[in-house]
Amino acid sequence: MSPTGFESPKPVLAIEGLTVSFDGFKAVNDLNLYVDRNEVRVVIGPNGAGKTTVLDLICGKTRATTGSIQFDGRELTKMREYDIVRAGVGRKFQNPSIYENLSVFENLEMSYPKGRKVFGALFFKRSAAVVERVEEIAAEIGLAAQLHQQADLLSHGQKQWLEIGMLLMQDPALLMLDEPVAGMSVSERVQTAELLKRISQGRSVLVIEHDMEFVKSIAHKVTVLHQGKVLAEGSMEAVQSNPKVVEVYLGH
Ligand SMILES: Nc1ncnc2c1ncn2[C@@H]1O[C@H](COP(=O)(O)OP(=O)(O)OP(=O)(O)O)[C@@H](O)[C@H]1O
Ligand SMILES: [Mg+2]
């Protein structure tokens, strides 16, 4: 306890001194990044800045050369990808990885957290819980009416929402999305912003995006990455009027 009795809330994600070197090239270079609980953070920056690599490091797809990633009090740099998911980190890649020949319902059902064994009498109870969860998530991602439609019939935007729904089935405390509105129509972008606002209730969201209109509509705070380091951080307005940011990114 501090003398005043007030503690600044601990960030849910604390990245410190994070570096990854690919054959001597530091794609992420001594990075510090802190994300609060219930925060929507957007990471922007030029191509090759290291944005996707940061998500790869957090989810354990790429191993850090040095540095620390603390999530909810746990050190992620030493954990396996699967255990990082179980610890509450969900990550969406640039291309949706849904099962095209399965229905929306089946895609969501497949993502229901495993690990609990199914025994006899428990079976019915559990499947009822799964159905309830699937219906709840389908409503949240705006696909309640498409529940029994095959996934390949969905629009590009709806497929992206389905994949977000598949991540939500695990109820992650931190959801990471890499360019979620790429290739979407204007109305799909607006709907995705609304979706992110809904799903960020009670969890933190880390988004990489190039579409500045979209960034403006969702970001609590923006981090600008350049050459694997934080170039600027703050409100969208502050970042947009930062001459260094204009020079390396927004001016182009
Ligand atoms: N596994 C890897 N091996 C070697 N180099 C890599 C690897 N992953 C990423 N890089 C390099 O690291 C740099 C950062 O790439 P990254 O994909 O993180 O950029 P980004 O900021 O996501 O860019 P974009 O906006 O184009 O998606 C690039 O120069 C890339 O070529
Ligand atoms: Mg990228």
Side-chain angles (χ1 to χ4, degrees), residues 2 80 100 110 119 129 135 150 162 178 184 210 216 230:
S2 62
R80 291 174 302 173
E100 299 263 346
M110 291 201 24
F119 292 112
E135 287 174 349
Q150 198 163 298
L162 175 56
D178 199 345
M184 280 190 183
H210 286 288
K216 209 182 290 181
V230 174

Side-chain angles (χ1 to χ4, degrees), residues 13 57-60 63 69-71 74-80 84 87 89 174:
L13 182 72
L57 288 161
I58 297 168
C59 75
R63 289 287 149 198
I69 304 172
Q70 289 274 325
F71 169 71
R74 302 178 73 178
E75 178 61 48
L76 300 187
T77 53
K78 306 280 182 287
M79 286 166 61
R80 291 174 302 173
I84 293 172
V89 178
L174 172 65

Side-chain angles (χ1 to χ4, degrees), residues 22-23 25 27 45-54 56 62 94 178-179 208 210 225:
F22 298 120
D23 298 323
F25 168 72
N47 297 120
K51 304 179 299 294
T52 298
T53 306
V54 170
D56 290 345
T62 297
Q94 270 169 267
D178 199 345
E179 302 194 23
I208 295 173
H210 286 288
L225 217 63

